Amino acid sequence: MDRKAYLSLIFDLLPVGYAWVRDMKSMTSRVLDVAAAEFARIHFRAENLINEADPRTASELLTDWERVCGLPDTCTATATTLQERRNAVHQKWTSRGGQSPKYWNEVANRLGYTIDVTEYRPFVCGLSECGLGEIEGPESTIVIGLTDDPLIRFFWRTLVNGPRVTWLECGTGECGIDPLAKITTAEDLECQLRRLKPAHTELIFAYE
């Protein structure tokens, strides 16, 4: 509710009588308008708290969100714009973890990247076919026959399809502070995936 709506509400609550003039230009209206302005301000602040309760729209409480989530950390040091900071908090707050190629794709997409995951399987005599084979799935590609070394199972590759571009959003970005477009290499993605990957695996990054 705005200031005028609260002033009208106060008028409706006034007693009936000649002393309580309901003319918007009267001295009574001017006095009550001060209270209406304060009620409207409190109403606005209460509505704004709804936005602050979500890290994707928080502004005033974004620093508190970062403190609760332990940010910035070594993987989010490059997150300097308002959008990047919000995305970092939201990812940290909502991440549930995982070890599947689908999960790695979700982590990359949340950071603003698209990736292709490749897993490896050794050549096994009696089971594998001669030559290099590939099995393409919806979330990853499995390469079979690159070597017969069984340790190849513990290697996987992430192909990063280009840098991340963060565009300035009207109503969200800060004019004069945030750039119109910020191009970021995948240091944050590498840091996140290396920190989240299973400890017994070796991750290889490739760039297109």
Side-chain angles (χ1 to χ4, degrees), residues 81 84 164-169 178-184:
T81 67
E84 289 176 328
R164 179 184 71 212
V165 180
T166 304
W167 298 96
L168 178 68
E169 297 180 7
D178 295 339
L180 295 178
K182 181 180 178 182
I183 301 175
T184 309

Side-chain angles (χ1 to χ4, degrees), residues 44-167:
F44 172 76
R45 295 296 293 166
E47 285 186 336
N48 192 55
L49 189 60
I50 298 175
N51 295 328
E52 298 298 328
D54 188 336
R56 292 170 295 181
T57 55
S59 295
E60 295 179 56
L61 296 183
L62 182 57
T63 303
D64 293 283
W65 275 107
E66 290 175 324
R67 176 181 54 79
V68 171
C69 293
L71 297 175
D73 56 16
T74 55
C75 293
T76 59
T78 58
T80 56
T81 67
L82 185 61
Q83 297 100 306
E84 289 176 328
R85 291 172 61 197
R86 285 174 172 174
N87 291 338
V89 172
H90 182 251
Q91 179 172 352
K92 186 72 173 289
W93 187 257
T94 59
S95 180
R96 295 184 177 181
Q99 295 185 2
S100 66
K102 180 180 179 181
Y103 172 67
W104 307 126
N105 278 278
E106 289 176 352
V107 172
N109 291 336
R110 285 174 137 184
L111 290 173
Y113 302 98
T114 58
I115 63 172
D116 295 317
V117 176
T118 301
E119 301 177 277
Y120 299 97
R121 299 292 182 270
F123 183 89
V124 180
C125 292
L127 295 177
S128 303
E129 297 180 2
C130 292
L132 193 64
E134 293 186 358
I135 303 175
E136 292 191 7
E139 302 294 340
S140 68
T141 299
I142 298 177
V143 176
I144 303 173
L146 188 65
T147 176
D148 61 352
D149 189 341
L151 295 179
I152 195 67
R153 293 180 181 274
F154 304 122
F155 287 80
W156 56 294
R157 187 187 74 158
T158 295
L159 174 63
V160 183
N161 300 312
R164 179 184 71 212
V165 180
T166 304
W167 298 96

